[in-house]
Amino acid sequence: MSWPGIISHYREFLPIADQTPVVTLNEGNTPLIFSCRLSGILGLDVYLKYEGLNPTGSFKDRGMTLAITKAKEAGMQTVMCASTGNTSASAAAYAARCGMECIVIIPEGNIALGKLAQAMIHGAKVIEIKGNFDVALGLVKEITAKYPVALVNSINPFRIEGQKTAAFEVCDSLGNAPEFHAIPVGNAGNITAYWKGYKEYKKTGRSKQTPVMLGFQAAKAAPIVKGKIIKDPQTIATAIKIGNPASWKMAQAARDESGGLIEAVTDQEILAAYKFLAAEGIFAEPASAASVAGLLKLHKNGYFKQQKGRVVCTLTGHGLKDPNIAIQNIGKPATVKAELKSILKTIGY
Ligand code: AN7
């Protein structure tokens, strides 16, 4: 049987009626990949929830299928979001899917090339501002409060509802919730969504436990870790370059209720984790690598000593989203004459 998308598959957990016009690109059902290298290092079984394999290449599709579906059901014709890139790519695609107009506001010069290309090719009206994501979100909130435009950022509760299905999938794959769940934190919608999903699955008896939630922010964009708004956040992981997360309180609740933590990782640690994953055949964007960087850091500090069980780590977006980062950090291919001799010499034969 082919996978119908998260709304049809997890219908009973979502606010969907018989007549709701489901807008889907068959998102979800992403693989949970066993990581030999990470498991070897941590001494626990580590699985990677590879959300880069969603239709637009990030976890945002889980929330967007529901947010756009509900906007369509409410008779809206236009949706709008602020974005560090992936939300805009997803909103543009799902709006195009059902013939809605999409407007996105993005921080100028701070969007990975692939994400910008996606928003443009799907026909969104893309507006760059000379300001960061937090400023963009403030403007979007103001506009959507006054005009007949549906806001599809994660302060829209349907986004969180859709995204919680990733936790369901993890439990369905493993037969239970894992002991630990690691995840990057930007606007903090996803950690909120996973925690909600894990709690609901336990409550309905589909899993026996909930995991300890481990969230990671970039060191110079770590408002939750620092306990204060960061006015000018900085990180190479542009997806999580956010200084005032909308779901701040909910992320803290996920951390505290689960006995977990939210910590910071440096850009250097993020890049090292990014390359570490690639060396095992998995290409995730830098923001996604923050969760792996966090696991490696916790391991170094002895956090997993005496611990048993399974760790799931969400890789939120595909590496192809941000090709510039890869090239900048790895270098260019060797260029040689079109002849056997030069090629063999370059190979080292
Ligand atoms: C790859 O697209 O905020 O903590 O506007 O694209 O739920 O915000 C993206 C966030 C992690 C952080 N990884 O998730 C946007 C946006 C990737 C992301 C996050 C984002 P949240």
Side-chain angles (χ1 to χ4, degrees), residues 42-77:
L42 265 61
L44 296 160
D45 285 346
V46 182
Y47 295 85
L48 305 166
K49 182 67 172 159
Y50 193 25
E51 290 289 276
L53 293 189
N54 275 298
T56 77
S58 87
F59 71 97
K60 304 285 182 183
D61 294 344
R62 295 178 183 277
M64 207 54 75
T65 180
L66 193 62
I68 299 284
T69 290
K70 296 302 279 187
K72 190 82 185 166
E73 184 176 44
M76 305 298 288
Q77 278 155 17

Side-chain angles (χ1 to χ4, degrees), residues 58-60 82-88 115 133 153-154 163 184-191 239-240 242 285 287-288 316-317:
S58 87
F59 71 97
K60 304 285 182 183
S83 182
T84 58
N86 279 325
T87 299
S88 63
K115 304 173 188 180
F133 169 83
N153 279 104
S154 59
Q163 284 173 213
V185 176
N187 214 21
N190 214 25
I191 189 171
I240 52 171
I242 294 172
E285 66 171 285
S288 306
T316 44

Side-chain angles (χ1 to χ4, degrees), residues 14-334:
L14 298 170
I16 292 289
D18 287 347
Q19 68 279 12
T20 305
V22 176
V23 182
T24 181
L25 290 165
N26 304 69
E27 58 294 313
N29 195 25
T30 55
L32 193 61
I33 305 172
F34 182 73
S35 171
C36 300
R37 294 188 77 200
L38 279 168
S39 301
I41 292 171
L42 265 61
L44 296 160
D45 285 346
V46 182
Y47 295 85
L48 305 166
K49 182 67 172 159
Y50 193 25
E51 290 289 276
L53 293 189
N54 275 298
T56 77
S58 87
F59 71 97
K60 304 285 182 183
D61 294 344
R62 295 178 183 277
M64 207 54 75
T65 180
L66 193 62
I68 299 284
T69 290
K70 296 302 279 187
K72 190 82 185 166
E73 184 176 44
M76 305 298 288
Q77 278 155 17
T78 307
V79 298
M80 188 170 189
C81 65
S83 182
T84 58
N86 279 325
T87 299
S88 63
S90 187
Y94 282 84
R97 181 77 171 165
C98 67
M100 283 171 104
E101 188 188 16
C102 176
I103 307 163
V104 306
I105 302 199
I106 55 174
E108 185 191 26
N110 276 293
I111 301 293
L113 193 64
K115 304 173 188 180
L116 183 60
Q118 288 178 290
M120 301 293 296
I121 199 72
H122 292 306
K125 191 169 282 173
V126 178
I127 304 168
E128 292 189 325
I129 59 161
K130 294 189 191 309
N132 62 29
F133 169 83
D134 304 293
V135 175
L137 183 57
L139 292 165
V140 167
K141 278 195 218 166
E142 245 184 277
I143 294 165
T144 52
K146 281 191 205 139
Y147 296 91
V149 177
L151 180 153
V152 292
N153 279 104
S154 59
I155 42 179
N156 176 332
F158 298 126
R159 282 276 313 278
I160 304 291
E161 287 300 304
Q163 284 173 213
K164 76 185 178 187
T165 61
F168 297 168
E169 287 179 17
V170 168
C171 296
D172 289 342
S173 295
L174 297 178
N176 195 1
E179 274 63 36
F180 299 93
H181 191 113
I183 187 167
V185 176
N187 214 21
N190 214 25
I191 189 171
T192 301
Y194 269 91
W195 183 236
K196 188 168 197 288
Y198 280 127
K199 282 195 296 187
E200 284 182 17
Y201 242 38
K202 184 173 175 222
K203 204 169 164 196
T204 56
R206 304 259 185 135
S207 63
K208 292 187 204 71
Q209 61 182 26
T210 53
V212 171
M213 299 299 293
L214 309 171
F216 299 99
Q217 301 196 290
K220 289 186 179 161
I224 300 176
V225 180
K226 298 260 160 70
K228 60 167 200 243
I229 292 170
I230 308 294
K231 278 249 156 63
D232 184 24
Q234 294 298 336
T235 170
I236 50 126
T238 51
I240 52 171
K241 194 170 173 181
I242 294 172
N244 187 12
S247 299
W248 191 323
K249 289 222 168 70
M250 262 110 73
Q252 280 178 327
R255 176 194 67 193
D256 298 342
E257 289 171 23
S258 74
L261 52 81
I262 297 178
E263 288 194 1
V265 286
T266 64
D267 277 6
Q268 228 178 346
E269 289 168 326
I270 289 173
L271 278 176
Y274 173 68
K275 293 179 194 171
F276 179 95
L277 280 170
E280 199 179 0
I282 295 156
F283 195 20
E285 66 171 285
S288 306
S291 52
V292 173
L295 284 181
L296 292 171
K297 185 179 165 184
L298 291 184
H299 164 72
K300 254 191 225 148
N301 296 342
Y303 181 85
F304 294 109
K305 255 190 202 159
Q306 323 286 336
Q307 299 291 350
K308 282 205 181 77
R310 298 184 282 201
V311 182
V312 170
C313 180
T314 302
L315 301 180
T316 44
H318 203 291
L320 288 171
K321 293 265 189 181
D322 200 346
N324 292 333
I325 286 275
I327 300 291
Q328 278 160 22
N329 287 281
I330 302 300
K332 296 228 157 66

